[in-house]
Amino acid sequence: MDLIMKQMPVVVSALNVGFLQTLKLFIVTLIGALPLGLVIAFGSMSHFKPLSWLARLIVWVIRGTPLMIQLLIIYYFPGLVLHNPIWGGGEAGRFLAAAVSFIINYACYFSEIYRGGIQGVPEGQKEAGLVLGMTKHQIFFKITLLQMIKRIVPPMSNEIITLVKDTSLARIIALQEIIWAGQAFMKGSHGISGAIWPLFFTAVYYLIFNGILTVLLGRLEKKLEYFR
Amino acid sequence: MKKITALALTSAMVLSLAACGGSSSDTKTSDDSKKASKSDVEYVQDKGTLVVGITDFEPMDYKDDNDEWIGFDADMAKAFAKSLGVDAEFVEIDWDNKVMELDGKTIDCVWNGMTLTDEVTSAMACTSAYCNNAQVVVVPSDKADKYQDKDSLKDLSFAVESGSAGEEAVSGEGYDYTAVSSQSDALMEVAAGTSDAAVIDLLMAGAMVGKGTGYENLTHTVELTTEKYGVGFRKGSDLADKLNEFFKTSYNDGSMKKCAETYGVQDAIIEQK
């Protein structure tokens, strides 16, 4: 216990650096995937068949393969097959490749949630809009989209919390997020070697951050209660 | 109206896909033709950096208090880069992906106490060996007396790093083992009692088990195999020959030995002829 207390300051500062990477990847993914998901959802719901087939094909491929493989393909494929290592070997390139993989992956999951939300709005709501003389545009933005947002908050919260933990997969392309930082102490880093506890201690970071997210998303859900 | 928008969107997507395909095959051909005329040495010199793939591994590559990469390998890599007129850039990689990192040109060499196994030499252009090492058995100190020769190890369960020289050693002896993702994971298995023993590098064992380390209750006993360290480059790279020359001159002028003494590995270095 004494040893752990002595190592604590060094470990915490290293884990903080790693967690910052985790947080950055989480935020960038959300910023990219939330709108991209909506675009894919529109695509898959389009009455123009080729567009909807294309969107559904993308969703099938991305949801049907492990994110870990997608990370490996997106990071290594350009250099291995096209002989043009577009990402470079540095930390920034690894982050960018990871962000692209996560945005594409999560946009596909989000798109299905959006689709469910949009299609779940009762037909009568649109008819009511038509009766009131609203245009198709007005109906979509003022009636359907608004009610969709309320419906999708619980399933979205679920995905968002999963995303926090999924960021740890990026270590496969050597992005130094918090799990990587914790594992580094097992073989030796910052003058501490053979310490196992920092790896397990990273769970505390995830737990606290997800606790905060749960509270925030719960509040959002409450705010949208008035629709019922 | 909506259909027209959809059609426009689709054709835009298809076109952009086609454009992607076109441009990437363009770069491929131009790169291939460049590759034929350009050696790896020129590639690195044009770029101005030698990207060195490493893992945090004392005493070969590790960070000092100023976050600077130091160690026997790191210092030699810096000197080698300087001789080429470029900067050395160190990048931490996942050891399992080292060949992919090299071939994908995200790094230029693997220089991190890499054991020259058949697997490594067949997938990379390797230098001649510059350092000796051994694979040793790590067991809890209180049981160490019982396990001082190979016969006594037969019934133990081992943990080894997947794809490491340690795995080769235990499978060669026919021991029962579990492959884990790193040498430190293997040590954790022994510390947690989920495996009876681990097999890791002697250099690493010296730094990580025993008094004054994180694994005070572990110790190393039998040497299973001895081995040699080398540096790996992309297959067919002319950088390997370049580094062999560099090793020769730095061995002969004593700078290699001096560097090794800084990190306490002087007894392990190999004469470069």
Side-chain angles (χ1 to χ4, degrees):
Chain A
M1 208 59 206
D2 275 359
L3 188 64
I4 291 180
M5 279 339 240
K6 230 171 59 198
Q7 293 170 338
M8 188 65 98
V10 182
V11 170
V12 166
S13 79
L15 291 187
N16 285 345
V17 173
F19 188 65
L20 214 64
Q21 262 313 9
T22 298
L23 206 60
K24 230 170 83 188
L25 184 58
F26 169 75
I27 291 168
V28 169
T29 304
L30 274 191
I31 291 173
L34 286 173
L36 184 62
L38 203 56
V39 172
I40 298 175
F42 287 148
S44 67
M45 286 187 304
S46 169
H47 293 300
F48 183 63
K49 285 291 166 218
L51 181 62
S52 104
W53 288 333
L54 185 66
R56 282 168 197 231
L57 178 76
I58 293 171
V59 172
W60 171 59
V61 170
I62 298 297
R63 289 203 310 178
T65 54
L67 178 51
M68 192 184 267
I69 300 289
Q70 291 164 18
L71 280 161
L72 289 172
I73 290 175
I74 286 180
Y75 185 61
Y76 293 114
F77 194 81
L80 280 177
V81 181
L82 309 174
H83 303 292
N84 183 16
I86 52 172
W87 307 111
E91 179 106 50
R94 285 167 202 270
F95 178 82
L96 208 61
V100 168
S101 319
F102 272 85
I103 287 173
I104 295 174
N105 187 278
Y106 270 80
C108 286
Y109 282 97
F110 288 167
S111 80
E112 288 296 279
I113 295 176
Y114 288 141
R115 195 168 63 86
I118 292 170
Q119 290 175 343
V121 177
E123 203 57 22
Q125 297 281 325
K126 284 183 209 164
E127 286 164 5
L130 279 175
V131 168
L132 291 172
M134 292 168 98
T135 63
K136 271 199 158 178
H137 251 247
Q138 283 176 321
I139 292 174
F140 183 76
F141 283 103
K142 299 206 165 143
I143 298 178
T144 314
L145 198 65
L146 212 60
Q147 295 191 47
M148 172 201 94
I149 291 173
K150 187 230 150 14
R151 281 161 192 274
I152 63 170
V153 169
M156 281 302 249
S157 308
N158 218 355
E159 282 301 318
I160 288 170
I161 284 169
T162 307
L163 169 61
V164 175
K165 295 168 289 172
D166 270 2
T167 52
S168 59
L169 285 171
R171 74 170 302 298
I172 195 76
I173 56 169
L175 181 78
Q176 291 165 34
E177 42 68 68
I178 186 167
I179 299 270
W180 179 291
Q183 232 168 7
F185 288 105
M186 285 168 47
K187 51 180 186 183
S189 172
H190 300 80
I192 298 173
S193 57
I196 305 168
W197 69 270
L199 176 60
F200 296 106
F201 189 68
T202 58
V204 177
Y205 281 75
Y206 287 103
L207 202 56
I208 291 175
F209 185 58
N210 273 333
I212 295 170
L213 274 182
T214 306
V215 170
L216 289 180
L217 291 165
R219 276 198 196 160
L220 181 67
E221 208 179 319
K222 261 219 172 98
K223 259 195 160 169
L224 295 169
E225 200 95 289
Y226 60 83
F227 276 123
R228 285 264 147 143
Chain B
M1 181 62 204
K2 214 164 134 204
K3 280 214 167 143
I4 298 174
T5 328
L7 185 67
L9 263 175
T10 318
S11 43
M13 275 173 101
V14 171
L15 274 178
S16 62
L17 274 178
C20 274
S23 64
S24 50
S25 57
D26 278 354
T27 46
K28 188 183 172 187
T29 41
S30 66
D31 211 68
D32 275 350
S33 55
K34 245 188 271 164
K35 229 166 98 190
S37 64
K38 211 163 97 175
S39 76
D40 225 21
V41 174
E42 285 164 357
Y43 167 72
V44 165
Q45 282 173 337
D46 275 3
K47 215 168 38 143
T49 51
L50 176 76
V51 185
V52 186
I54 55 167
T55 66
D56 200 332
F57 175 21
E58 221 176 309
M60 305 315 254
D61 293 297
Y62 62 102
K63 273 183 180 163
D64 68 3
D65 294 339
N66 305 321
D67 249 17
E68 177 94 15
W69 286 104
I70 55 166
F72 176 56
D73 279 348
D75 285 6
M76 290 299 287
K78 283 180 211 165
F80 175 59
K82 205 173 157 194
S83 80
L84 292 173
V86 300
D87 290 327
E89 184 191 339
F90 295 91
V91 174
E92 274 191 88
I93 57 165
D94 189 321
W95 195 243
D96 289 342
N97 297 338
K98 54 188 178 298
V99 178
M100 224 171 357
E101 295 268 357
L102 273 181
D103 290 346
K105 292 196 170 179
T106 45
I107 59 173
D108 298 315
C109 65
V110 178
W111 197 329
N112 191 63
M114 180 177 67
T115 305
L116 294 167
T117 58
D118 290 346
E119 241 176 308
V120 161
T121 49
S122 64
M124 304 176 190
C126 292
T127 61
S128 43
Y130 64 92
C131 189
N132 283 311
N133 195 18
Q135 291 296 322
V136 294
V137 174
V138 175
V139 290
S141 310
D142 52 342
K143 293 180 192 152
D145 293 346
K146 286 195 285 182
Y147 304 118
Q148 292 295 344
D149 54 58
K150 282 189 182 177
D151 270 352
S152 61
L153 302 170
K154 272 192 307 231
D155 300 321
L156 297 184
S157 64
F158 283 86
V160 294
E161 180 185 40
S162 162
S164 69
E167 180 174 9
E168 237 169 68
V170 288
S171 64
E173 297 287 339
Y175 297 146
D176 173 34
Y177 73 93
T178 309
V180 294
S181 73
S182 66
Q183 300 200 46
S184 49
D185 280 354
L187 288 180
M188 182 169 72
E189 292 265 330
V190 183
T194 45
S195 292
D196 299 324
V199 175
I200 65 168
D201 285 357
L202 176 60
L203 286 174
M204 195 170 190
M208 286 189 51
V209 304
K211 279 234 148 47
T213 67
Y215 292 108
E216 296 212 324
N217 301 325
L218 302 183
T219 189
H220 59 90
T221 59
V222 185
E223 279 189 17
L224 287 181
T225 52
T226 55
E227 62 200 33
K228 290 168 170 36
Y229 281 166
V231 181
F233 295 92
R234 261 181 291 283
K235 219 170 164 44
S237 169
D238 51 351
L239 278 164
D241 290 335
K242 202 90 181 170
L243 182 52
N244 278 335
E245 279 167 39
F246 177 79
F247 275 157
K248 243 177 258 172
T249 46
S250 56
Y251 187 86
N252 291 332
D253 69 14
S255 57
M256 187 192 242
K257 186 152 189 236
K258 218 175 125 204
C259 181
E261 278 166 355
T262 319
Y263 300 101
V265 296
Q266 65 276 13
D267 296 335
I269 59 172
I270 297 170
E271 188 183 352
Q272 302 289 316
K273 282 181 256 186

